Amino acid sequence: MPLLVCNCFMPSLEVRRWNEIIKKHMLVGNAEQAVLTYVNMQVHGFRADNYTFPILLKAAGKNCASRIGFAFHGQTIKTGFYRHIFVQTALINMYGTLHCTADACKMFENMPVKDLVAWNSMLDAYASNGEMEDAISLFHMMPLKDLSSFNILISGYSSCGEVLAARSIFDKMAIKDIVSWNSILSACTRAGDMEKAFALFQEMPMKNTISWNTMLAGCLQRGQFSEAVDLFDEMKTTNCLPDYLTATSVLSACAHLGSLETGIKIHVYAIYSGLASSPHVTTALMDMYAKCGSIEQALQIFFKAQVKDIYCWNAIISGLALHGHGYAALKLFGYMKKKHERPDDITFIGLLNACSHSGLVEEGCRLFDSMLNFGISPKLEHYGCLVDLLGRAGHLDCAFHVIEAMPFEPGESILGALLSSCIIHQDLETGERVIKLVSSTAPYISDGELMMFANLYASCGYWEEANRWREMMNNTGIVKTAGFSEIELNGRFHKFLAGK
């Protein structure tokens, strides 16, 4: 008899063990392995319970796999576990993550009992998908609200760029936690209002790593690179530990500033803090060294890296392109293919730029034509690289034909690149065709374009026409954007504006 009792409980204990394995995979972000473990669990003759399904439904949402999600939903109905409130709430969360808010709403409406977690899950489904009218309507219907309810709304408005609406909710909150502050901080940085963001940041009663990373991301977005470096230095004096996102952000700021000295200091910090082993930081280090003029150091980091993902390959190829090492970039691409690393559209942008900077016209054209072999359709950026490649090499007529034949409207950067090549090669005929194209497609002509028109005629000796374009610029009140330079002195960055 005791043996029989023991056997009855064995499946429950085994299912619990399977659940723990599935949950561990989810904790490390491996949703695909979580689903595969569940499949393996069934092969071994064990069935899911009301604890298994919430984890699986979360995995389906993480994988953005609607078909798997629908299958799991069907299994919850078949097994009867869909009646459990935890499973029902997990279904709402899954459908919200999969952008199926109508299905989430059906699930929510059919729930016989709705607790606060269920209400918040439905609120989050609307808010995370930008359906803020439905979100605020549901918010007012809620019989009970908690801190999470307010935070969900602020986050939703933040994602939609509605700073005033987010601030209105934030100001009405009697109690605010770190999530509330971070959400409103994110709303300001996303909208580019760094003045308000810095004011809020100073007001915060408590900051965590997310707070600092939000500010760093905002500085990068607004081009405030020296401010980002200052923030990082300030962060190190607090009890908030920088993570891999912090390191990648500040290294990106150094790359834009061209500050090798500061970049090296951050590299040393990353090594001692254990952040340098992160693939994200490795990629950011290569990018920083390449943009700060030390391609040798970038290559050293690349070859020493234990894990080389596609971002790592793209960073080093782009770095070689920047330094005019076209053949080296192509050789590395061959090595990449031998390693069975599949290139993406960014890889080809780097390769085409490498060919452009090294005058490798035939190789660049072959690469462009080979993109479809890798299942990559050329985008506007790839056509821009091809136009730049042909233009730099003096094949201006061919470059103009590429613009006419491509399935996209040529942007300002593509036409500007070709016009610049026309000035260098003193090709007035193609240059005038580009001017006509700019004049017919652009909603307005910028100061930079007017200057390039004038420079084209000046380079070909047509001074009267060049003066006519300059006078047109003066008469319309367009002022040429002032250039600036930035220098680093004793670890501080100083900006100098032309004419000031």
Side-chain angles (χ1 to χ4, degrees):
M1 190 61 130
L3 183 63
L4 182 63
V5 172
C6 183
N7 286 339
C8 287
F9 279 91
M10 278 302 289
S12 176
L13 290 170
E14 286 298 325
V15 168
R16 196 184 301 170
R17 289 193 188 102
W18 282 104
N19 287 348
E20 284 173 3
I21 296 167
I22 294 167
K23 191 175 181 180
K24 278 179 183 175
H25 286 308
M26 283 303 296
L27 285 171
V28 296
N30 199 339
E32 189 177 344
Q33 193 57 48
V35 174
L36 291 173
T37 303
Y38 170 64
V39 172
N40 200 21
M41 172 184 173
Q42 290 182 305
V43 169
H44 282 78
F46 297 103
R47 297 288 172 262
D49 61 12
N50 58 308
Y51 294 104
T52 320
F53 280 114
I55 309 169
L56 292 173
L57 292 165
K58 189 175 182 180
K62 284 263 185 185
N63 267 336
C64 295
S66 54
R67 282 191 296 180
I68 294 173
F70 295 147
F72 286 154
H73 189 173
Q75 286 189 359
T76 65
I77 295 169
K78 225 174 177 182
T79 56
F81 288 117
Y82 79 99
R83 293 190 185 93
H84 286 256
I85 193 165
F86 293 152
V87 176
Q88 291 169 342
T89 305
L91 281 163
I92 294 169
N93 287 327
M94 180 197 74
Y95 282 124
T97 307
L98 295 172
H99 313 297
C100 304
T101 48
D103 292 306
C105 190
K106 278 181 196 173
M107 192 69 231
F108 178 74
E109 287 173 351
N110 289 330
M111 287 179 73
V113 179
K114 301 177 181 73
D115 61 6
L116 182 57
V117 178
W119 280 94
N120 280 341
S121 294
M122 191 62 233
L123 186 67
D124 187 55
Y126 281 135
S128 60
N129 285 286
E131 299 176 28
M132 293 311 297
E133 284 187 20
D134 291 318
I136 199 70
S137 176
L138 187 77
F139 180 77
H140 291 312
M141 287 167 56
M142 290 175 71
L144 190 66
K145 303 173 184 71
D146 65 358
L147 202 53
S148 292
S149 315
F150 287 91
N151 289 341
I152 288 166
L153 272 188
I154 296 170
S155 181
Y157 280 124
S158 169
S159 299
C160 295
E162 297 183 40
V163 187
L164 293 177
R167 187 64 194 257
S168 173
I169 298 292
F170 180 79
D171 290 339
K172 287 174 187 172
M173 294 173 70
I175 300 170
K176 303 174 180 74
D177 64 1
I178 190 73
V179 177
S180 318
W181 282 95
N182 285 342
S183 296
I184 193 64
L185 204 62
S186 177
C188 293
T189 56
R190 279 170 183 251
D193 193 343
M194 290 306 296
E195 192 177 336
K196 277 185 184 172
F198 271 108
L200 282 164
F201 189 66
Q202 295 304 320
E203 280 181 50
M204 288 180 74
M206 186 182 293
K207 301 178 182 74
N208 61 9
T209 305
I210 295 170
S211 317
W212 290 93
N213 287 347
T214 301
M215 291 301 295
L216 282 167
C219 287
L220 289 180
Q221 182 187 318
R222 294 291 295 169
Q224 296 174 303
F225 306 119
S226 56
E227 288 87 343
V229 174
D230 291 340
L231 268 174
F232 177 70
D233 288 336
E234 187 185 341
M235 182 183 181
K236 287 189 294 181
T237 65
T238 69
N239 58 356
C240 292
L241 289 174
D243 61 8
Y244 76 93
L245 287 173
T246 320
T248 52
S249 295
V250 73
L251 284 167
S252 179
C254 289
H256 281 95
L257 290 166
S259 176
L260 184 60
E261 185 183 340
T262 306
I264 291 170
K265 287 177 184 174
I266 294 163
H267 187 183
V268 171
Y269 177 84
I271 291 168
Y272 282 107
S273 60
L275 295 171
S277 58
S278 162
H280 302 84
V281 178
T282 300
T283 302
L285 281 166
M286 285 189 293
D287 183 61
M288 182 275 294
Y289 277 117
K291 287 178 179 173
C292 290
S294 182
I295 190 64
E296 295 82 7
Q297 188 65 34
L299 284 164
Q300 198 174 73
I301 290 169
F302 172 77
F303 286 112
K304 282 184 179 179
Q306 296 297 313
V307 179
K308 295 181 179 72
D309 57 15
I310 186 62
Y311 305 105
C312 190
W313 287 96
N314 289 348
I316 197 64
I317 287 171
S318 296
L320 288 166
L322 185 67
H323 286 260
H325 299 307
Y327 286 112
L330 294 176
K331 188 177 179 180
L332 203 63
F333 180 56
Y335 180 54
M336 177 183 176
K337 287 188 288 185
K338 280 182 184 176
K339 290 285 183 181
H340 305 291
E341 183 70 57
R342 192 173 182 82
D344 62 9
D345 54 338
I346 305 298
T347 315
F348 280 96
I349 289 173
L351 289 166
L352 289 167
N353 277 329
C355 292
S356 181
H357 294 160
S358 301
L360 305 175
V361 179
E362 287 183 20
E363 291 85 348
C365 290
R366 275 200 299 270
L367 278 168
F368 185 86
D369 292 336
S370 73
M371 287 177 65
L372 289 173
N373 298 336
F374 295 95
I376 302 167
S377 297
K379 295 178 181 174
L380 182 63
E381 292 84 359
H382 300 103
Y383 280 101
C385 291
L386 184 62
V387 168
D388 185 55
L389 169 70
L390 295 167
R392 281 173 184 257
H395 304 294
L396 301 170
D397 193 49
C398 291
F400 192 82
H401 285 313
V402 168
I403 289 175
E404 287 183 314
M406 69 184 191
F408 305 101
E409 282 293 319
E412 184 183 331
S413 60
I414 291 180
L415 293 172
L418 183 53
L419 193 56
S420 181
S421 295
C422 290
I423 294 168
I424 292 166
H425 294 284
Q426 298 178 348
D427 186 334
L428 185 61
E429 185 183 343
T430 307
E432 286 186 323
R433 290 163 76 188
V434 176
I435 289 173
K436 284 179 185 176
L437 200 55
V438 171
S439 302
S440 63
T441 56
Y444 67 93
I445 300 173
S446 68
D447 60 324
E449 286 164 339
L450 285 170
M451 284 302 297
M452 287 182 82
F453 296 169
N455 290 341
L456 171 69
Y457 286 105
S459 69
C460 297
Y462 290 84
W463 299 103
E464 286 185 16
E465 190 64 18
N467 289 331
R468 188 176 73 82
W469 284 105
R470 286 197 178 96
E471 283 172 12
M472 188 186 299
M473 184 173 170
N474 294 331
N475 293 339
T476 51
I478 298 173
V479 180
K480 187 178 182 293
T481 305
F484 68 88
S485 60
E486 199 160 14
I487 64 166
E488 184 181 4
L489 187 64
N490 298 326
R492 304 287 297 176
F493 294 93
H494 307 271
K495 187 181 285 187
F496 298 92
L497 197 65
K500 296 289 182 182

